Structure formats: structure tokens, C-alpha cells
Amino acid sequence: MKFCLIVDDSEVIRKVAGAIVESLGLIAVEAETADKALEICESSMPDVILLDWDLPGMTAFDFLAALKLVGAASFPQILYCPTEADPKDIKQAVRAGCAGYVLKPYDRESLAPKVREVMRTVDAFKPELV
């Protein structure tokens, strides 16, 4: 079963996002800090990550750099989750490895299509067993 890691210091945002991704058939796992998210990724790499850009203790850029060092067989699809659509920040996030972005606060109409979109990419690159 595929899972989505929701990295955000807001419990409300994590709960709302979790309910939406679970309605799409994914398992939702929450992390309130980047450090906790990295621990989860080291244990089991998620298929999708919803990444808050303003995290306590570690920037999202630091998180992305550390994530690339985990050495998993596959890299997750990451959605940058800002509260405002600054084109410069979005471009920077995509260059850092994010597949796209979705504005907070989430609702089903804004988040579900983005998650479905990145899940199509996950499914398209799923390696076949030999």
C-alpha cells in the first residue's frame, strides 16, 4: 500500500491533509518536524510527501538535501505546500526536487487533484519485478 508523509508543524493542517489523502486510498503518516520526517523516511520511504516550507529546526531545503542522502531505492514525489504562491519560491522549490505545489489551507478540491497527479507519476515509474 502506498503512503503519504505529511510534514507540517500545524496539527490542523496535518489532520485535514491526512483525511484527504486517506480518502484517495493512501496511508497518511504525519510528522510535525523535518527531523521526525527524516526518521520516517529512513525507516520506510513514502511515495508522496506534502512538505511545509516553513519548518521548525530545519529548513525545507535542508530537509530535501538530507532526504537525498537517505539512499532509498526510490525518491518520493514531493509537493511544496506554501501559504502564498510566490513564483520565485515555487521555482526554487521545483529546482530543489519538488514535483509541484499546492496552496494551504487545503481543501479536497485543491489537494486531491495534485495528489492524484503525483501518484500517476509514482505508478508510471514503478519498477517491474523480474
Side-chain angles (χ1 to χ4, degrees):
M1 183 132 203
K2 295 184 173 26
F3 84 97
C4 176
L5 177 59
I6 302 158
V7 187
D8 202 296
D9 56 333
S10 167
E11 183 177 4
V12 171
I13 293 289
R14 291 193 313 269
K15 296 298 181 200
V16 168
I20 294 167
V21 299
E22 286 179 349
S23 76
L24 299 173
L26 286 87
I27 296 170
V29 177
E30 299 177 19
E32 64 279 353
T33 67
D35 289 327
K36 174 77 172 163
L38 280 174
E39 288 175 23
I40 292 168
C41 292
E42 288 168 355
S43 171
S44 180
M45 190 62 76
D47 298 288
V48 177
I49 297 176
L50 302 181
L51 182 62
D52 181 18
W53 214 242
D54 189 23
L55 296 166
M58 180 186 297
T59 69
F61 286 114
D62 292 338
F63 170 80
L64 290 169
L67 183 63
K68 290 176 183 176
L69 299 176
V70 170
S74 62
F75 197 76
Q77 292 292 302
I78 302 168
L79 289 173
Y80 161 50
C81 302
T83 54
E84 54 186 67
D86 181 328
K88 181 181 172 189
D89 289 345
I90 292 167
K91 190 181 284 188
Q92 190 175 20
V94 169
R95 275 193 299 241
C98 294
Y101 76 98
V102 60
L103 290 177
K104 295 188 295 186
Y106 308 122
D107 60 19
R108 183 162 180 73
E109 291 73 34
S110 64
L111 184 57
K114 293 288 190 170
V115 172
R116 282 191 195 104
E117 181 182 328
V118 296
M119 285 306 300
R120 282 192 292 274
T121 302
V122 168
D123 291 338
F125 292 105
K126 183 178 171 186
E128 292 185 34
L129 297 175
V130 274

